[in-house]
Amino acid sequence: MITKLKKLPKELKNILDVISSLAEPQGVRVYLVGGIVRDLLLGRTNLDLDIVVEGDAAALAQALAQRYSAKFTRHHAFGTATVFFDNHKIDFATARKEYYSRPGVLPAVEPSDLRDDLFRRDFTINAMAISLNKNDYAKLIDFYSGSRDLKQKLIRVLHNRSFSDDPTRILRAVRFEQRFSFKIEKKTLGLIKEAAAQEALRCVHAHRLRDELVLILKEPKPCRNVKRIGALTGFLFINKSLKVNKRIYGLLCRVEKTIGVYGKKFGGLRKVDAWLIYLIGLMIGLKREEIAKFVQEFDFRKGDRIRVLSAKDSLAGISCLDKNVKPRDLYRKLFPLSLETILFFYAYYSGKTIRRQIELFLGKLIHIRLKVKGSDLKALGFQPLVLYGKVLEGLLDAKIEKKLATKGEELKEAKHIFHKLLLKQPV
Ligand code: ATP
C-alpha cells in the first residue's frame, strides 16, 4: 500500500508520517480507515483523512495540532477530535465497539480495538484500514474482505443486523452502489428489503435522515439514486404519499439537464445549490402544509426552508409567463426568488415560452439595479418623502422598459415620475 499512500498529496503524506512518529512514544497504535482507504484502492481522489487510534485519539490529535500550530477541536462525541489545516482537516477517533439497544437510535459505545471498530462500519468496502505504525507501516488491514468486494464491485454489510441497527445504511448502500456503479450483494439486498418491509427508516431521527438525503442529492447522479431508493424502500420516511413515479423521475431528469444548461449559459452568476433544486423537485407534488411540516421537522436551515416553500408558493404564478409578459413584470416576479427556485421552474415548465422568459431574466434583467437612490432624490429636494418608494418603483419599471443607462437619465426620469405623482396627490 505504500505506493497508494504516495498518491496522496505530499503534504498529507508528510502529516501521516508525523502522526506515525507521534503515536509511538504515546504507546498507541494508529490507522487510516474508512472511505479514504476504499478510494486509495480505487484510485479515486479523496482528501478526507479519518484516523482511528487504539488509545486516546484526542491526545494524539492535540500533539499533531501542536506540532503544526494548527487548530484543534475536541468533540463531545466519544473520544473524537479534529485537526484543521489550511486546505483540509483530519478526524481522529478512539477505536470503539458499538451496542445498539433499539433500531435507529444511536448506539452505546466503549473503547476497543481496530477489529471491533471496523466491524461497526456500514459495508466491507468501508471497513478497511491502513496501518500507520512503524512495524508494519502502510500495510492494508482487511478483516472483512473489503478488497475482494471492491474487486467484485459489491456492496456488502458486515452482519445481518446492520440495517436494523442503523437503517440510514440503506440510503448509504444505494449511494455507494450508484456512485461506483457497483451492485448491492444478494444477501445484503434481501436485508434491505426486509428492513424496508418493516419501514425501518421511519425509526430514524429526522436530522440523520436529512443529512443522508442531502448527501444523496449531492451525488453526481441524484436521479438514479432517487429512482433506486424509490424502488427499494420508497420515501415513506419523508411523506406517506411521496412516490417516485414517472412524473417525478422525469422532472428530476429535467432538473439535471437544467443544471447543465445553467452551468453553460449562466454559470457566471453564482454556484447554485443543485441538491436543493432536486429536493424541490422531489417535494413539489405534496401539499404546501406537508412540505412545510417536512422542512420544519427535518430542521433544514431557514434559507433552505424559504427556498423550498417559495417554489411551491410561486409555481402557479409562473405558468402565466407568456410571451406578452412585460419585462418589468417578469422582473418583479422572478427577482425576489432564489436562483435555485428559478432554475426549478425552468425544469418544471418545459415549454419554450416560459423557458425563453427565464433565460431573458437570467441573461439580462437580473443584473438591472437602479443607480439613483433615496439620498439622490433628497439631495434634489424632492418632497414629500412618502413618495420616494413609489418614485423608485416607477423608476425601476422605466429603467427596464426604456433601458435607461446613465444616472443622469435615471434622474431625469425620476423628476418626471415625481411630478406626475404630485399631480395625483390629494390637495
Ligand atoms: P464519502 O466518500 O461519501 O465521504 P465515506 O465512506 O468517507 O464516504 P463518511 O460518511 O465520511 O463516508 O464516513 C466515514 C466512514 O465512517 C465510512 O467509510 C464508514 O466506514 C463509516 N460510517 C459512516 N457512516 C456509517 C454508518 N451509518 N454506519 C456504519 N459506518 C458508517
Side-chain angles (χ1 to χ4, degrees):
M1 288 299 289
I2 192 76
T3 47
K4 304 271 184 212
L5 278 184
K6 281 188 177 154
K7 296 236 164 75
L8 286 171
K10 203 160 175 253
E11 189 194 344
L12 281 185
K13 170 74 177 64
N14 288 343
I15 295 175
L16 292 183
D17 292 345
V18 171
I19 292 173
S20 174
S21 67
L22 290 171
E24 203 176 39
Q26 291 198 6
V28 294
R29 292 186 64 79
V30 61
Y31 306 88
L32 192 61
V33 294
I36 177 76
V37 179
R38 174 199 70 216
D39 286 342
L40 280 171
L41 286 167
L42 286 173
R44 291 173 69 102
T45 309
N46 182 349
L47 302 179
D48 287 338
L49 300 196
D50 280 317
I51 303 283
V52 160
V53 183
E54 286 178 329
D56 187 346
L60 183 63
Q62 191 166 23
L64 181 71
Q66 268 164 8
R67 171 72 67 91
Y68 282 90
S69 303
K71 198 177 151 230
F72 156 82
T73 312
R74 188 192 290 260
H75 306 291
H76 293 300
F78 170 86
T80 54
T82 305
V83 182
F84 297 89
F85 295 88
D86 285 345
N87 302 317
H88 41 256
K89 62 182 177 59
I90 303 186
D91 289 317
F92 286 77
T94 296
R96 70 177 101 153
K97 192 172 179 160
E98 289 181 345
Y99 302 91
Y100 286 85
S101 56
R102 266 190 301 130
V105 297
L106 289 178
V109 295
E110 69 178 34
S112 187
D113 57 13
L114 180 71
R115 187 182 283 269
D116 279 341
D117 193 279
L118 295 177
F119 189 67
R120 73 181 175 86
R121 289 169 188 269
D122 48 4
F123 308 112
T124 58
I125 59 166
N126 290 340
M128 291 179 277
I130 295 176
S131 168
L132 299 178
N133 303 296
K134 287 265 159 69
N135 66 331
D136 57 358
Y137 189 85
K139 181 180 165 210
L140 178 70
I141 299 165
D142 184 11
F143 298 123
Y144 308 109
S145 307
S147 57
R148 177 204 62 197
D149 286 340
L150 261 193
K151 280 195 199 105
Q152 296 184 356
K153 301 178 182 268
L154 288 176
I155 309 293
R156 184 197 306 269
V157 282
L158 283 96
H159 55 82
N160 292 350
R161 292 182 326 277
S162 191
F163 295 117
S164 56
D165 282 350
D166 179 358
T168 64
R169 291 174 188 160
I170 299 173
L171 305 178
R172 293 176 63 83
V174 171
R175 191 151 63 81
F176 293 119
E177 177 200 46
Q178 297 300 319
R179 184 195 297 172
F180 301 132
S181 297
F182 280 17
K183 269 187 125 168
I184 298 177
E185 175 271 334
K186 206 166 151 210
K187 193 166 164 209
T188 303
L189 193 63
L191 293 169
I192 291 184
K193 289 183 178 159
E194 249 173 55
Q198 289 160 11
E199 299 185 0
L201 279 164
R202 293 181 76 176
C203 307
V204 180
H205 196 282
H207 281 193
R208 298 193 58 226
L209 287 171
R210 177 203 58 205
D211 292 347
E212 286 298 335
L213 181 64
V214 171
L215 286 176
I216 281 163
L217 300 179
K218 282 184 174 174
E219 285 291 311
K221 296 270 175 203
C223 301
R224 285 172 32 180
N225 280 265
V226 168
K227 190 177 181 187
R228 182 76 161 132
I229 293 168
L232 275 181
T233 69
F235 283 89
L236 277 182
F237 62 93
I238 293 184
N239 184 289
K240 266 193 265 168
S241 50
L242 181 55
K243 302 237 161 37
V244 184
N245 51 23
K246 268 193 185 157
R247 199 179 50 80
I248 292 197
Y249 183 66
L251 174 59
L252 295 183
C253 293
R254 294 203 300 280
V255 168
E256 194 170 309
K257 284 200 187 117
T258 297
I259 290 163
V261 170
Y262 172 76
K264 275 198 206 115
K265 285 197 179 168
F266 312 107
L269 289 173
R270 79 159 159 83
K271 197 170 170 306
V272 287
D273 292 323
W275 68 270
L276 196 90
I277 313 178
Y278 288 106
L279 182 67
I280 297 172
L282 197 57
M283 311 296 301
I284 199 72
L286 298 178
K287 294 188 187 116
R288 192 202 192 271
E289 59 272 21
E290 290 174 324
I291 301 177
K293 186 168 172 258
F294 161 73
V295 290
Q296 189 74 38
E297 277 178 11
F298 275 51
D299 201 16
F300 279 89
R301 287 183 333 181
K302 192 172 170 208
D304 298 338
R305 293 205 300 262
I306 291 173
R307 287 185 286 178
V308 175
L309 284 169
S310 76
K312 182 72 182 175
D313 292 338
S314 23
L315 184 71
I318 300 299
S319 67
C320 51
L321 285 183
D322 60 22
K323 59 179 186 294
N324 299 319
V325 71
K326 291 193 173 112
R328 66 176 192 210
D329 294 327
L330 180 62
Y331 184 95
R332 282 197 191 294
K333 263 213 158 65
L334 296 186
F335 194 78
L337 300 175
S338 69
L339 270 177
E340 286 76 7
T341 311
I342 296 170
L343 291 174
F344 170 72
F345 293 145
Y346 191 92
Y348 187 89
Y349 292 108
S350 47
K352 270 191 191 143
T353 317
I354 292 186
R355 287 195 165 180
R356 283 217 185 101
Q357 297 289 13
I358 293 178
E359 286 176 17
L360 168 67
F361 176 75
L362 293 179
K364 223 163 152 188
L365 304 183
I366 196 170
H367 302 291
I368 294 180
R369 300 282 186 287
L370 283 179
K371 293 191 168 75
V372 164
K373 299 195 171 48
S375 53
D376 297 308
L377 302 183
K378 206 168 176 191
L380 287 174
F382 283 21
Q383 287 287 352
L385 258 74
V386 282
L387 287 184
Y388 281 22
K390 282 203 167 143
V391 173
L392 292 173
E393 221 174 86
L395 184 58
L396 183 62
D397 286 349
K399 183 171 173 103
I400 295 168
E401 297 295 341
K402 300 183 189 169
K403 305 190 173 62
L404 308 176
T406 64
K407 189 166 178 180
E409 284 171 338
E410 282 185 22
L411 281 172
K412 197 169 154 202
E413 184 69 27
K415 274 184 208 158
H416 177 68
I417 296 170
F418 194 75
H419 287 126
K420 265 186 19 194
L421 285 171
L422 271 184
L423 288 178
K424 282 193 201 158
Q425 282 274 94
V427 191

